[in-house]
Amino acid sequence: MAEHSGRRERKKLATHQLLRSAALRLGAERCLADVTVEEIAEEADVSVRTFYDHFRSKEDAMIGFDAYRVDQLRVALAERPLGESPLDALHTVLRMMLEESSFEWPLRMKVIATNPALLPRMFTSFIVYERAMIEAVAARTGLDPDHDLYPAVVTAVAAAALRASLTVWRANGERDDLTEIFDTAFAHVAHGLVEPDPVREREV
């Protein structure tokens, strides 16, 4: 029974990823108004009903958060060594998730470039991830996720490093390795945000 359930979940996840990829490909090619749910479903070779089993709208399929990735984030953070600092744990886990979804980010940025009205939706979806990070940091430190400051501050730093990395990566034509930019952002944080040499900064 457990094996059957696991196989069903893997199939469901694979379908979810197919739909996400199909939506991103179509959204990167055209204006949002010219993309339909029917086309996304056809591109992924599933029914429209199956599409709505996974996403509420074509916008969610392109830019919205993935519940399974939020769960993945929670589990991965919970599994980090207890002796590791919360900031290092966030860096490691977020980097891993960036690597796993690296093929999506160029498409996602093209969707945003073609449909800039979706940018607020993308950043709004980050709030869900940030809440999961706050709760994970609180659990690691024995603090309250709602009333103690530290979990929110550490999460805000990690989230800002991610947003800044995406912004710089996009501004540089998406030519550089996103995870390397992300590592550099965290290196700045680790060094206390000491003002860098402009020449060396551009060489990194």
Side-chain angles (χ1 to χ4, degrees):
M1 180 66 72
E3 182 180 348
H4 177 71
S5 177
R7 186 165 59 248
R8 183 174 56 196
E9 284 303 310
R10 288 193 296 273
K11 183 177 180 180
K12 182 178 179 181
L13 177 57
T15 300
H16 187 91
Q17 292 173 324
L18 278 173
L19 283 164
R20 170 76 80 187
S21 296
L24 284 170
R25 285 196 302 271
L26 292 172
E29 294 169 359
R30 344 175 188 153
C31 175
L32 180 64
D34 295 333
V35 178
T36 67
V37 167
E38 288 77 11
E39 286 178 307
I40 295 171
E42 183 178 355
E43 181 81 3
D45 196 24
V46 300
S47 68
V48 171
R49 179 177 179 179
T50 297
F51 174 92
Y52 284 114
D53 285 340
H54 290 266
F55 299 103
R56 291 179 299 177
S57 67
K58 59 185 179 183
E59 292 86 353
D60 277 345
M62 294 177 193
I63 299 298
F65 80 94
D66 277 324
Y68 85 88
R69 280 186 176 155
V70 176
D71 291 339
Q72 178 189 24
L73 175 64
R74 292 181 190 277
V75 171
L77 287 171
E79 291 177 345
R80 296 304 302 167
L82 291 178
E84 187 176 52
S85 75
L87 190 62
D88 285 342
L90 288 173
H91 177 201
T92 300
V93 171
L94 289 175
R95 190 186 199 281
M96 175 196 73
M97 295 184 73
L98 274 180
E99 288 178 332
E100 289 179 353
S101 61
S102 60
F103 70 96
E104 291 183 0
W105 282 105
L107 290 174
R108 188 172 280 114
M109 292 299 101
K110 288 180 182 177
V111 169
I112 292 297
T114 307
N115 307 279
L118 289 177
L119 186 58
R121 180 185 286 263
M122 184 176 77
F123 284 123
T124 297
S125 73
F126 285 175
I127 294 173
V128 182
Y129 293 98
E130 289 174 25
R131 179 61 190 179
M133 289 189 281
I134 289 172
E135 291 175 354
V137 171
R140 291 176 69 85
T141 55
L143 297 171
D144 188 295
D146 296 312
H147 299 101
D148 290 320
L149 187 60
Y150 181 80
V153 170
V154 173
T155 294
V157 170
L162 175 58
R163 289 193 184 96
S165 299
L166 288 169
T167 299
V168 169
W169 177 67
R170 185 182 180 191
N172 288 330
E174 303 168 16
R175 293 184 300 272
D176 301 320
D177 188 310
L178 177 55
T179 54
E180 288 184 7
I181 296 173
F182 187 59
D183 287 342
T184 301
F186 266 84
H188 283 312
V189 172
H191 295 148
L193 296 178
V194 175
E195 184 177 350
D197 178 277
V199 175
R200 293 189 64 187
E201 170 74 1
R202 295 190 183 97
E203 290 175 349
V204 172

